[in-house]
Every structure is written in structure tokens, then in C-alpha cells.
Amino acid sequence: MPLFFTLDDIYKLYNTDPSIRVDGIVILDKNDGPKIEYPDHRHQFDGLLFSFMIKGTMKSRIHFLEYEVNVDDTVVILPQLMIDVHEFSDDAEMITMGLSLDFIASFSTLREFIMNDQIRWRPVIRLSEERQEQQKELLALILKVYREKHSPKKKEILQHLIIALIHIIAEVYTVGTTQNTETKNRTLELIDKFYVLISKYALEERSVRFYADKLYLTPQYLSTLLKQATGKSVLQWIDHIVIMHAKTLLKSSNLTIKEISYSLSFVDSSLFCRYFKRHTGTSPKIFRNIK
């Protein structure tokens, strides 16, 4: 089973300076070593990850496929996809930026980014030389602002800089190939098809049987396959998509909670509120008002 990390877990597990922390954002570099080493390096992060290879190489499995990451490569890992790091070269240096789901929910454009079907099968990219220089300059500025200890507008400045950085990265996915053509085995094909289905139908269809029928599988087989391969059941993946949409609407729209409930196919707002609190620990109203 993979280790499931939230942003709070990363703060606890890595030697980060508490005085520079920013809600919804974490940035790790070579100075932020882990406090604990794990024999199992399979991880899932409850948010969006970007890793920038500064020196050396890394070999890893991302979303069930093998990749070698080299200098100047950028790695984009969507929320809760599997990361299995095999090895780093002795001189390897990376900068990793993690954004929580709450951060993502605050910006409607990020919702489109993380739902991009290309990214799952093309997580390792190389920008053009011109864009690489721009990315390096932006990343250096982001790190400088992130390390400031006393800045009343630090979070707002970081938000705008990070959005600019993501737009540069997103440009890669609007040109060139639209799908990784690497051969996938039957399990990977089923998982990919399931991801596409829940991205399209999760707001209206929440029964295991619906997705199993679409994939010509039994509900029990689909649930077992997903649990073994991803660490989450069908229902847990559906809940993840629904909560992500709910958070986005709460943070980036002026819709009432009743209107959001209806758009997410809940029969009444009280049912939605109970559902949201069960999965997030807080009510939709309180979540919307958190700055």
C-alpha cells in the first residue's frame, strides 16, 4: 500500500522551517531532507505536485509507468496519483512544490489543468529553451518570496507567481502529442478508462455498478482492481472527484450552497452539507469563509 500524504504530513515529515510556511503551499529543496526514511517509496499526495530537476537523474514509476527524469525536466503529478521513486543519482537535486486541493479550489483555471487527460500519461516534460529560462527565473523568485519570514502579502504574491509558472507548464500540453503512446497492459488500460469515466460522470453517477457496467466488469472485480493498484476503492475515487468540484465551486463561484448542492446532483443542501463535512471535517459555509 502506498503512503498517503497531505500537506500537513509533509510539514511533519520534512525539515521545513515553520516560520516560512504558507497555507496551501509547500516548497522543498535539497536543504529540506526527510526526518524519516521509508523502505516503501510509493506515495500519493492529496494535491498537485511539481518537481524541477536541477542536477542529476531520477528513476521512478508515475501512474504505473516507468520514467527517467533528467536535468531540466519538469514532473507534474496530479492529485493522488501514485509516485514510486526507484533511485536518485548521487548528484541529484530537485525542487518540489506541492499545492493543496484547497489552493487548487481557489483558482478555477487550475481545475481545468488538473483534469487534463494528457498529464496522467505525460507527467515528465521538457520545456523549450526559452520557456526553461523563464521557468527558472520564476522559480527562483518563488523560492525567494517563499523563504521570506515577514511579509504581509506573501501568500498573495506567491499565488500569482505560481499561477504564472503553471501557465508556462500548461502550454506544453496544448501542443504536440495528445497521448502517451507507450503500450499499456490490461490493468493500466482499465484504470485509465476508469479515470476518464469518473472525470466525466462522477457528479451524476456514484454507484460502483455504473462504472463496472461501462467497463464490462463486475463491481467486485473493479473495486478489487482499483484498491490493489491505486490504494483507493471506486467509491473513494468518486468522493475525491465530487469533493474537488465542491471545493472549487465554494471558493471560485458566487453560487449559493443550495445551488452548488443541485449542481453536484444532491437532492437537498442538507445532504450535501453532511457529505461535505464527513469528507473534509468542516461545513461548506466554514470552508468557503476560510481565507
Side-chain angles (χ1 to χ4, degrees):
M1 290 290 290
L3 295 166
F4 184 75
F5 288 160
T6 65
L7 209 62
D8 287 340
D9 293 326
I10 290 180
Y11 279 135
K12 293 174 185 175
L13 294 169
Y14 283 79
N15 294 305
T16 58
D17 184 348
S19 67
I20 64 172
R21 293 178 186 175
V22 180
D23 289 342
I25 304 167
V26 65
I27 302 176
L28 304 173
D29 62 17
K30 61 181 180 180
N31 298 315
D32 300 308
K35 298 176 183 176
I36 305 169
E37 293 289 346
Y38 293 97
D40 184 351
H41 293 287
R42 292 178 299 161
H43 302 140
Q44 287 173 291
F45 175 60
D46 191 25
L48 181 61
L49 283 178
F50 295 93
S51 289
F52 308 92
M53 204 76 196
I54 307 303
K55 289 177 60 178
T57 61
M58 175 184 76
K59 292 183 179 179
S60 63
R61 182 185 295 116
I62 303 169
H63 192 42
F64 318 106
L65 293 178
E66 302 286 340
Y67 296 90
E68 180 173 308
V69 184
N70 298 297
V71 176
D72 292 330
D73 282 346
T74 298
V75 184
V76 185
I77 301 176
L78 297 176
Q80 300 193 11
L81 291 192
M82 192 85 71
I83 317 155
D84 187 357
V85 178
H86 298 320
E87 64 180 78
F88 282 101
S89 64
D90 292 339
D91 62 340
E93 287 185 19
M94 295 185 78
I95 296 172
T96 297
M97 180 171 65
L99 306 176
S100 72
L101 291 179
D102 291 348
F103 179 94
I104 296 167
S106 300
F107 299 92
S108 57
T109 55
L110 288 185
R111 175 179 167 181
E112 295 180 13
F113 179 78
I114 66 173
M115 298 301 288
N116 189 325
D117 188 52
Q118 293 186 52
I119 300 174
R120 287 201 313 284
W121 301 111
R122 195 184 168 200
V124 180
I125 58 173
R126 174 73 63 93
L127 306 185
S128 67
E129 290 187 10
E130 181 180 3
R131 291 295 191 225
Q132 280 184 40
E133 289 305 310
Q134 293 168 351
Q135 177 179 267
K136 288 175 182 178
E137 291 172 2
L138 260 177
L139 190 57
L141 184 54
I142 288 169
L143 280 168
K144 185 176 181 179
V145 174
Y146 182 74
R147 290 171 179 150
E148 292 177 354
K149 295 186 178 182
H150 305 289
S151 173
K153 292 293 185 179
K154 177 177 175 177
K155 182 176 180 179
E156 289 81 358
I157 294 170
L158 280 174
Q159 286 175 337
H160 290 293
L161 290 173
I162 289 170
I163 292 297
L165 179 63
I166 292 173
H167 277 300
I168 288 176
I169 293 169
E171 187 179 49
V172 174
Y173 295 102
T174 63
V175 297
T177 58
T178 59
Q179 180 83 8
N180 188 312
T181 57
E182 201 168 333
T183 303
K184 311 178 186 72
N185 64 32
R186 174 64 174 161
T187 298
L188 299 184
E189 288 177 351
L190 287 172
I191 292 170
D192 194 36
K193 288 177 181 178
F194 174 73
Y195 270 74
V196 172
L197 286 172
I198 60 169
S199 297
K200 184 176 181 180
Y201 294 110
L203 302 189
E204 297 122 22
E205 299 289 347
R206 294 172 194 158
S207 72
V208 178
R209 180 165 293 281
F210 172 83
Y211 297 97
D213 288 347
K214 286 282 187 182
L215 296 170
Y216 304 101
L217 303 171
T218 66
Q220 182 178 2
Y221 181 83
L222 177 59
S223 289
T224 300
L225 179 143
L226 283 171
K227 191 72 174 178
Q228 290 177 344
T230 71
K232 286 185 176 294
S233 68
V234 176
L235 291 177
Q236 286 173 319
W237 277 114
I238 294 169
D239 289 338
H240 166 67
I241 296 294
V242 173
I243 291 296
M244 181 185 71
H245 280 267
K247 287 182 172 181
T248 300
L249 291 172
L250 286 166
K251 287 291 189 180
S252 63
S253 80
N254 294 319
L255 295 175
T256 66
I257 291 174
K258 184 176 181 179
E259 289 170 332
I260 291 173
S261 303
Y262 179 77
S263 70
L264 297 176
S265 302
F266 287 89
V267 293
D268 61 62
S269 58
S270 61
L271 183 62
F272 166 66
C273 291
R274 290 196 297 272
Y275 175 89
F276 189 88
K277 187 168 185 178
R278 184 167 72 249
H279 290 284
T280 68
T282 190
S283 69
K285 183 178 180 180
I286 291 174
F287 176 81
R288 168 169 265 175
N289 293 328
I290 294 174
K291 300 298 183 182

